């Protein structure tokens, strides 16, 4: 039976399984695909904890996916506390990117069932429960982060807080199956603030969550 250990956050998700074993400890991590300029552009995953994860599968990381947000499960013969880990990857997921708009609109959001939200490596990441008819119909769901109109004029300035609103569009999908969905927004120069206040719709009304952002 597999032993499963967490490097960061617990998640149950449908993803691409690359291998299988019943006798190895499994770990998981969120990270970003980076390029090592010191080793002729070799790609690796930098975890949110600052570790370098080197997948043993040479074709797993591609140049087209550089700087992408990823989630993975893996086993390793190395000490997981080391700065650099060689990993045998079992599941690997390129995280869906949210759309970003600098002005809100009158579109209505479906209810958001949020599990977790945090900022790491210049990415705002959300984990949410969703319902869809199938894997294919889930691909048509839309995730958009709006900058609050009051913050538009100060987007080029450093401020203490920026107000955002996250809207989720199920695209009139059925609710046959349940999924855990990860989405992310590359903050980059879009947001220049120390604190993000994110508003979203729930079945009991609107809620806000505050997350800190340090570049």
């Amino acid at each position: 039976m597999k032993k499963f250990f967490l490097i960061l956050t617990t998640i149950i998700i449908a993803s691409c399984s690359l291998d299988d074993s019943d006798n190895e400890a499994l770990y998981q991590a969120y990270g970003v695909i980076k390029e090592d300029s010191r080793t002729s552009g070799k790609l690796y995953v930098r975890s949110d904890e600052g570790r370098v994860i080197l997948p043993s599968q040479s074709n797993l990381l591609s140049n087209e996916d550089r700087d992408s947000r990823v989630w993975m499960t893996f086993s390793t013969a190395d000490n997981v506390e080391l700065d650099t880990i060689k990993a045998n990857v079992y599941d690997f997921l390129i995280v869906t990117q949210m759309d970003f708009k600098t002005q809100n609109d009158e579109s209505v959001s479906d209810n958001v069932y949020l599990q977790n939200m945090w900022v790491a490596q210049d990415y705002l990441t959300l984990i949410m429960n969703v319902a869809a008819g199938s894997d294919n119909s889930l691909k048509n769901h839309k995730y958009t982060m709006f900058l609050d109109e009051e913050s538009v004029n100060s987007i080029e300035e450093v401020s203490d807080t920026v107000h955002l609103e996250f809207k989720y569009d199920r695209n009139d999908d059925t609710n046959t199956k349940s999924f855990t969905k990860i989405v992310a927004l590359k903050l980059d120069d879009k947001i220049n603030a120390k604190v993000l206040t994110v508003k979203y719709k729930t079945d009991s009304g609107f809620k806000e969550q505050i997350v800190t952002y340090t570049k």
Side-chain angles (χ1 to χ4, degrees):
M1 184 175 183
K2 292 188 181 77
K3 295 179 181 178
F4 193 74
F5 298 88
L6 307 187
I7 282 189
L8 186 59
T9 305
T10 304
I11 183 169
I12 303 171
I13 187 165
S15 59
C16 179
S17 181
L18 302 176
D19 200 351
D20 193 19
S21 174
D22 289 330
N23 301 306
E24 294 184 284
L26 295 184
Y27 303 87
Q28 69 171 326
Y30 291 91
V32 177
I33 298 175
K34 297 291 186 180
E35 180 179 1
D36 190 348
S37 58
R38 299 169 300 177
T39 57
S40 302
K42 184 175 182 179
L43 299 175
Y44 64 94
V45 174
R46 182 172 184 82
S47 75
D48 284 357
E49 294 185 337
R51 295 186 175 90
V52 172
I53 302 178
L54 302 171
S56 58
Q57 297 92 326
S58 59
N59 62 344
L60 183 61
L61 307 180
S62 67
N63 287 322
E64 291 77 14
D65 294 326
R66 280 180 298 177
D67 295 322
S68 294
R69 188 75 164 135
V70 299
W71 171 84
M72 61 195 295
T73 64
F74 62 93
S75 65
T76 181
D78 296 332
N79 183 336
V80 292
E81 300 299 323
L82 293 174
D83 292 337
T84 300
I85 302 169
K86 294 180 180 179
N88 183 28
V89 177
Y90 291 84
D91 299 282
F92 187 82
L93 178 75
I94 301 291
V95 175
T96 300
Q97 289 295 296
M98 301 181 219
D99 292 327
F100 177 75
K101 296 185 178 180
T102 56
Q103 287 186 318
N104 212 330
D105 57 29
E106 297 181 358
S107 61
V108 177
S109 175
D110 288 304
N111 292 334
V112 176
Y113 300 97
L114 185 67
Q115 289 187 28
N116 200 4
M117 181 190 307
W118 74 97
V119 174
Q121 300 195 74
D122 208 27
Y123 275 94
L124 173 64
T125 303
L126 282 73
I127 306 176
M128 53 191 290
N129 298 325
V130 299
S134 66
D135 290 329
N136 286 332
S137 65
L138 180 60
K139 296 175 183 177
N140 296 321
H141 293 202
K142 298 179 181 179
Y143 315 87
T144 306
M145 189 67 75
F146 293 87
L147 182 66
D148 189 278
E149 293 178 357
E150 295 179 356
S151 302
V152 172
N153 293 333
S154 60
I155 191 170
E156 301 296 335
E157 303 174 2
V158 176
S159 59
D160 289 336
T161 303
V162 164
H163 296 270
L164 304 164
E165 183 172 355
F166 175 66
K167 292 185 180 181
Y168 169 49
D169 182 2
R170 297 184 63 253
N171 201 25
D172 296 322
D173 196 4
T174 60
N175 58 358
T176 308
K177 296 182 180 180
S178 297
F179 298 88
T180 297
K181 180 68 179 182
I182 313 172
V183 294
L185 174 67
K186 182 70 178 295
L187 297 174
D188 237 359
D189 57 353
K190 298 182 181 72
I191 305 297
N192 198 7
K194 299 176 182 178
V195 179
L196 309 179
T197 300
V198 181
K199 177 182 176 181
Y200 58 96
K201 183 185 177 185
T202 74
D203 52 7
S204 59
F206 286 94
K207 292 185 178 180
E208 288 187 342
Q209 182 158 328
I210 298 174
V211 291
T212 57
Y213 173 36
T214 303
K215 287 192 175 184

